[in-house]
Amino acid sequence: MLLAIDIGNTNITLGLYRGETLSSSWRISTDLQRMPDEYGVGILSLLAYRGHSAAEVKAVVMASVVPPLTSTLVQAVQDYLGHKPLVVDASVQTGVRVRYDDPSQVGADRIVDAAAVQRLYGGPACVVDFGTATTFDAITAEGDYLGGAIAPGIGIAAEALFQRAAKLPKVELKAPPTAIGRNTVHSMQSGLLFGYVGLVEGMVARFRRELGPQMKVIATGGLAELIARETPVIEIIAPWLTLDGLRIIWEMNK
């Protein structure tokens, strides 16, 4: 089986594949203070909880946008699973032509997502990734990564309101009863959720004008389903898109 690991700023996502089938998946918090042994033991625990053993893992592929953690996870995987992971970087074949002004500036996760879209859905497409940042990525009809847009994530916006406005509380990210909030909590939920829905709809419209009317809209990330329930512009929800892309890239390079 193949273990795919996506190291993000807020969460680390792991997926265990049997062929093309995602058998098990996990999200854990990103913690820069954890040592390789802590991550290694944690991975073994996750596997065991779902009835898997380390011996079942025959290969590991990894993408990271947190450089200080990359070597930590590499060491954890080597020590506890006995495999040197394939780390997606500029030297790895991805099947994606990057048409950014400086390709080295593109996060590995965005290239991995493009590889998944190219194989699974085809272009032109806009990938909306609801992570620490809310990113919009443009994939052309030929499957090239064209570029995109980056906005603060919903979680960052909610935390900023709580920290910078003394009278505003922390709120659960969910839809309020109405867009016009009748109390502070509902008003914040409206601004956060419906505000980001408006952001998505506006950016998708702009991308469609540049990529063409046939553009698909694919949402991924932890909040993809929450946002998709509030807008018809999201056509495909693919919560494990990055893990699928890692599997596809591993197959190209094995």
Side-chain angles (χ1 to χ4, degrees):
M1 301 178 80
L2 171 69
L3 180 65
I5 304 175
D6 173 32
I7 305 170
N9 288 292
T10 302
N11 296 313
I12 298 173
T13 308
L14 305 93
L16 192 63
Y17 284 88
R18 189 183 301 277
E20 297 184 359
T21 302
L22 182 62
S23 298
S24 297
S25 58
W26 305 269
R27 290 186 195 273
I28 62 175
S29 297
T30 300
D31 187 348
L32 291 171
Q33 304 306 314
R34 286 184 187 171
M35 302 300 289
D37 288 332
E38 293 176 282
Y39 275 112
V41 170
I43 291 172
L44 292 182
S45 298
L46 292 173
L47 291 169
Y49 182 75
R50 296 285 176 83
H52 301 291
S53 69
E56 292 180 72
V57 179
K58 302 303 182 184
V60 181
V61 60
M62 181 186 302
S64 174
V65 295
V66 190
L69 267 186
T70 307
S71 59
T72 299
L73 265 296
V74 167
Q75 184 176 338
V77 166
Q78 289 178 328
D79 292 349
Y80 285 83
L81 297 179
H83 298 290
K84 181 179 181 180
L86 173 67
V87 180
V88 177
D89 57 22
S91 67
V92 171
Q93 180 183 353
T94 64
V96 176
R97 289 178 295 184
V98 180
R99 291 167 58 183
Y100 222 51
D101 289 344
D102 181 356
S104 67
Q105 293 181 351
V106 184
D109 56 338
R110 302 176 82 180
I111 302 303
V112 171
D113 285 352
V117 169
Q118 183 187 86
R119 175 75 65 86
L120 300 176
Y121 305 108
C126 172
V127 178
V128 189
D129 191 341
F130 297 97
T132 305
T134 298
T135 60
F136 300 82
D137 293 312
I139 293 90
T140 69
E142 296 75 32
D144 298 348
Y145 178 84
L146 187 60
I150 304 172
I154 303 176
I156 289 177
E159 190 65 24
L161 283 174
F162 171 70
Q163 291 183 350
R164 300 295 294 272
K167 298 184 70 174
L168 296 182
K170 284 188 175 181
V171 298
E172 182 182 358
L173 290 175
K174 67 176 186 179
T178 58
I180 300 174
R182 297 299 186 92
N183 56 58
T184 300
V185 169
H186 288 167
S187 296
M188 292 177 67
Q189 289 173 332
S190 177
L192 288 165
L193 181 58
F194 298 146
Y196 269 81
V197 167
L199 167 68
V200 169
E201 291 175 343
M203 291 302 297
V204 165
R206 289 176 180 270
F207 273 47
R208 181 165 274 121
R209 287 200 293 268
E210 298 182 26
L211 286 177
Q214 303 305 314
M215 182 188 82
K216 305 176 183 72
V217 182
I218 302 158
T220 189
L223 295 174
E225 292 188 16
L226 176 66
I227 299 296
R229 285 198 294 266
E230 305 299 332
T231 175
V233 303
I234 294 175
E235 301 166 295
I236 300 167
I237 302 173
W240 309 114
L241 185 70
T242 308
L243 296 181
D244 286 337
L246 285 169
R247 174 186 59 79
I248 290 164
I249 290 172
W250 178 80
E251 290 173 351
M252 293 181 187
N253 289 270
K254 67 179 177 179

